[in-house]
């Protein structure tokens, strides 16, 4: 029985044991939760680019990016069979509401409700991107409005009775502030191995601004992201820091033929003309600019791409690197970092989906047992403890946490090999062993070589207790891979 099946079975048994109890609703919520896609929240300070990033990940302009009322409400974006928006008031039954699309983004009618009157909203939208992950857009922390910041903190910060409803979080950083560190610390619950980085990815958002919008701005951003990744505080809280130019990433997945032609017009200008035109925002939108695109068109381009995106598009077209809208769209996706973030999401979140959901489910079930000494609660607590103790997936997660945060000290070559074997680069067996997926013999040889190495580490009298314990877990990981090899 897989880990997620064990958690589902335990929750189903608890549902029977607590039938008719006030706690039954919480247990049934767990059953629904582990059957749904992984829940990933997007959080960060005000103006960090959360909604823009969400649109880039969905591949469609849905989330409003202005400072309207809707951005002050926690909003869930789910895959659905139809297009629907539902309001969830704090003290009333859910209400389906009207919406329109304005320049692509949703304009949702809140009716008589104020943002503070709503617990959250849910947007159902048929989308292949939302089938594996439900994205949750949250209001900015450190907002001038305390109630808005509190809404996000309340939603994402767990306590003994209310674990967070998000399985994982993308946290957007523009610069590293103490506010960011404090928030990430509060997102992690103690039970999940003392502040685990496994369910959090840091995104260095609006990364193009680091390089002042130069065409090579993302090179500077990658260096900053690498430096942040070496910060001991962030190592405890995020497994990766990924630089992303969100506006360009969003443009890359929604670029139109007309927008490509407008960029091509700029690229066709003499070098000295477009260099002066693109030297600053005010020059680009100036009435007297000697270009066939009227100021209103240029303003629209600026809002869509930002100055960095326009400069990048012009450079790519001029250099002959892209000759069609499709090619430019892909180049924008690559250069913006959105493709890299999508890859990280798949390897670190989607491939761990069942583990993260099982973990969330157990935390929610544990909250049911708090302060309850009834036979049903005792049986549930024992079941939770049994799963946590026996699940090798959790043992791998805990060990990877320890390796990433320095809790287990291994020599460099062992540390890198151990982290990879535990799934730091992805959970596929070939990826764990750093082998070509098509080379079955190479995978087999690497698996037995890794097994032999970690067995020797476990038995080495010079290994410390923590190193030997880590090696024994890695031996089990190798044995699990070998058990899956074709006979």
């Amino acid at each position: 029985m897989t880990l997620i099946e064990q958690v589902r079975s335990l929750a189903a048994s608890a549902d029977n044991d607590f039938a008719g109890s006030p706690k039954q609703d919480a247990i049934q919520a767990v059953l629904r939760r582990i059957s749904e896609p992984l829940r990933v929240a997007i959080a960060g300070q005000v103006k960090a680019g959360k909604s823009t990033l969400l649109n880039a990940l969905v591949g469609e302009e849905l989330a409003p990016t202005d400072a309207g009322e809707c951005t002050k409400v926690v909003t869930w974006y789910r895959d659905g069979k139809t297009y629907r928006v539902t309001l969830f008031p704090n003290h009333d039954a859910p209400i389906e509401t009207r919406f329109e699309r304005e320049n692509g983004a949703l304009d949702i009618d809140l009716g008589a409700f104020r943002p503070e009157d709503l617990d959250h909203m849910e947007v159902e939208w048929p989308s292949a991107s939302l089938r594996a992950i439900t994205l949750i857009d949250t209001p900015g922390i450190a907002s001038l409005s305390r109630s808005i910041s509190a809404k996000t903190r309340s939603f994402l910060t767990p306590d003994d009775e209310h674990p967070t409803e998000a399985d994982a979080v993308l946290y957007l950083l523009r610069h590293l502030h103490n506010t960011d560190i404090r928030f990430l610390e509060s997102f992690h619950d103690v039970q999940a191995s003392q502040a685990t980085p496994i369910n959090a990815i840091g995104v260095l958002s609006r990364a193009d601004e680091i390089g002042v919008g130069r065409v090579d701005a993302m090179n500077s951003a990658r260096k900053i992201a690498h430096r942040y990744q070496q910060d001991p505080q962030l190592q405890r809280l995020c497994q990766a820091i990924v630089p992303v130019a969100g506006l360009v990433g969003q443009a890359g997945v929604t670029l139109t033929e007309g927008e490509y032609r407008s960029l091509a017009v700029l690229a066709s200008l003499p070098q000295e003309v477009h260099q002066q035109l693109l030297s600053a925002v005010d020059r680009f939108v100036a009435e007297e600019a000697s270009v066939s695109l009227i100021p209103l068109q240029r303003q629209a381009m600026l809002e869509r791409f930002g100055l960095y995106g326009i400069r990048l598009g012009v450079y790519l077209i001029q250099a002959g690197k892209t000759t069609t809208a499709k090619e430019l769209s892909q180049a924008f996706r690559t250069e913006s970092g959105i493709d890299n973030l999508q890859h990280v999401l798949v390897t670190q979140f989607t491939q761990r989906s069942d583990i993260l959901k099982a973990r969330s489910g157990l935390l929610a079930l544990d909250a049911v047992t708090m302060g309850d000494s009834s036979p049903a609660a005792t049986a549930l607590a024992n079941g939770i403890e049994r799963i946590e103790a026996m699940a090798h997936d959790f043992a791998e997660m805990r060990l990877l946490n320890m390796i990433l945060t320095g809790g287990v000290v291994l020599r460099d070559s062992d540390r890198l090999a151990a982290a990879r074997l535990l799934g730091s680069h992805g959970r596929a067996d070939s990826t764990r062993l750093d082998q070509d997926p098509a080379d079955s013999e190479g995978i087999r040889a690497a698996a037995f070589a890794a097994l032999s190495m970690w067995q020797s580490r476990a038995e080495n009298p010079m290994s410390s207790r923590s190193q030997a314990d880590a090696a024994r877990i890695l031996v089990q990981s190798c044995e699990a891979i070998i058990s899956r090899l074709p006979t």
Side-chain angles (χ1 to χ4, degrees):
M1 188 182 293
T2 65
L3 176 60
I4 197 76
E5 288 170 344
Q6 292 178 57
V7 176
R8 184 179 288 110
S9 176
L10 179 64
S13 177
D15 186 40
N16 288 328
D17 292 344
F18 284 88
S21 161
K23 295 185 177 182
Q24 188 177 21
D25 286 347
I27 295 168
Q28 291 181 343
V30 171
L31 286 166
R32 290 192 298 271
R33 178 171 184 167
I34 61 179
S35 299
E36 294 175 352
L38 190 73
R39 301 172 179 181
V40 178
I42 302 178
Q45 297 197 41
V46 175
K47 295 295 183 182
K50 298 182 295 298
S51 299
T52 300
L53 181 67
L54 185 144
N55 289 336
L57 292 173
V58 173
E60 193 171 353
E61 288 184 76
L62 290 179
T65 56
D66 58 14
E69 294 292 275
C70 291
T71 62
K72 300 175 184 177
V73 182
V74 173
T75 305
W76 297 49
Y77 291 84
R78 300 179 180 273
D79 178 44
K81 295 181 179 179
T82 187
Y83 303 92
R84 180 164 52 200
V85 177
T86 306
L87 307 179
F88 287 77
N90 293 323
H91 306 294
D92 291 308
I95 302 171
E96 190 172 336
T97 191
R98 296 182 297 109
F99 65 91
E100 297 177 352
R101 298 193 74 176
E102 185 175 344
N103 297 322
L106 294 178
D107 181 12
I108 298 171
D109 182 7
L110 299 186
F113 294 107
R114 300 169 300 168
E116 53 266 34
D117 297 329
L118 298 173
D119 180 76
H120 69 283
M121 299 188 295
E122 290 190 5
V123 175
E124 293 180 59
W125 207 262
S127 168
S129 301
L130 294 172
R131 285 173 195 159
I133 291 180
T134 292
L135 292 172
I136 305 170
D137 197 8
T138 63
I141 64 170
S143 167
L144 291 176
S145 168
R146 290 185 179 181
S147 63
I148 293 174
S149 294
K151 183 75 74 173
T152 296
R153 292 184 182 278
S154 174
F155 174 73
L156 286 174
T157 303
D159 57 37
D160 287 342
E161 295 184 2
H162 302 95
T164 173
E165 291 197 64
D167 300 309
V169 67
L170 289 176
Y171 188 80
L172 276 59
L173 306 149
R174 292 183 67 182
H175 306 286
L176 188 57
H177 294 290
N178 286 333
T179 303
D180 301 315
I181 296 294
R182 289 195 299 271
F183 176 82
L184 282 166
E185 286 176 336
S186 68
F187 173 72
H188 297 298
D189 55 273
V190 175
Q191 188 170 347
S193 79
Q194 317 303 318
T196 167
I198 294 302
N199 63 336
I201 292 172
V203 178
L204 189 58
S205 63
R206 304 177 70 158
D208 50 296
E209 295 178 1
I210 292 173
V212 202
R214 299 189 311 269
V215 171
D216 63 350
M218 291 300 291
N219 291 331
S220 300
R222 281 186 280 270
K223 292 177 183 177
I224 297 293
H226 179 73
R227 192 171 78 225
Y228 281 178
Q229 189 65 70
Q230 309 312 308
D231 184 288
Q233 286 182 300
L234 279 177
Q235 281 183 338
R236 288 191 303 107
L237 302 169
C238 291
Q239 61 180 303
I241 305 290
V242 182
V244 173
L247 205 56
V248 178
Q250 176 179 280
V253 296
T254 57
L255 186 72
T256 67
E257 289 286 348
E259 289 170 336
Y260 175 81
R261 287 194 295 271
S262 295
L263 289 167
V265 168
L266 296 177
S268 68
L269 297 173
Q271 189 79 5
E272 63 276 8
V273 174
H274 82 67
Q275 279 187 344
Q276 182 176 2
L277 187 64
L278 297 177
S279 62
V281 169
D282 56 349
R283 287 187 175 179
F284 183 72
V285 297
E287 187 76 36
E288 65 274 11
S290 53
V291 59
S292 59
L293 300 171
I294 63 173
L296 195 61
Q297 288 176 296
R298 281 177 266 141
Q299 182 63 45
M301 291 177 71
L302 199 61
E303 291 172 0
R304 275 280 285 148
F305 306 114
L307 197 58
Y308 165 70
I310 296 171
R311 288 170 176 166
L312 178 62
V314 167
Y315 163 73
L316 292 169
I317 294 171
Q318 275 197 330
K321 296 179 182 291
T322 60
T323 58
T324 65
K326 184 177 180 180
E327 290 177 352
L328 183 58
S329 175
Q330 182 54 57
F332 273 171
R333 289 182 60 90
T334 302
E335 294 294 330
S336 68
I338 197 66
D339 274 354
N340 185 40
L341 179 59
Q342 291 273 26
H343 174 73
V344 172
L345 278 171
V346 169
T347 58
Q348 305 305 333
F349 285 171
T350 307
Q351 290 183 5
R352 283 197 183 100
S353 176
D354 280 358
I355 300 172
L356 293 172
K357 288 194 294 182
R359 170 185 171 276
S360 296
L362 288 178
L363 289 171
L365 290 174
D366 187 58
V368 171
T369 70
M370 297 300 294
D372 189 343
S373 58
S374 67
T378 301
L380 179 56
N382 289 340
I384 293 169
E385 185 176 353
R386 183 174 61 253
I387 291 174
E388 289 180 337
M390 297 180 63
H392 182 64
D393 288 324
F394 285 158
E396 284 190 328
M397 182 180 285
R398 285 191 291 268
L399 179 56
L400 182 54
N401 292 340
M402 296 295 286
I403 290 172
L404 292 175
T405 59
V408 173
V409 179
L410 305 173
R411 59 190 182 190
D412 285 348
S413 59
D414 282 1
R415 178 174 54 81
L416 295 173
R420 179 178 279 277
L421 184 58
L422 293 167
S424 65
H425 290 63
R427 291 182 54 78
D429 290 344
S430 58
T431 304
R432 288 174 180 248
L433 296 167
D434 199 15
Q435 297 294 308
D436 183 341
D439 185 3
S440 58
E441 288 306 312
I443 293 172
R444 179 180 296 275
F448 279 100
L451 175 63
S452 176
M453 184 188 81
W454 291 114
Q455 282 176 332
S456 69
R457 298 288 193 275
E459 297 165 2
N460 189 337
M462 300 300 293
S463 295
S464 67
R465 172 70 180 273
S466 64
Q467 289 170 338
D469 288 344
R472 281 189 279 272
I473 292 172
L474 290 160
V475 165
Q476 292 180 52
S477 297
C478 293
E479 290 172 343
I481 292 174
I482 290 170
S483 73
R484 293 191 289 268
L485 292 173
T487 55

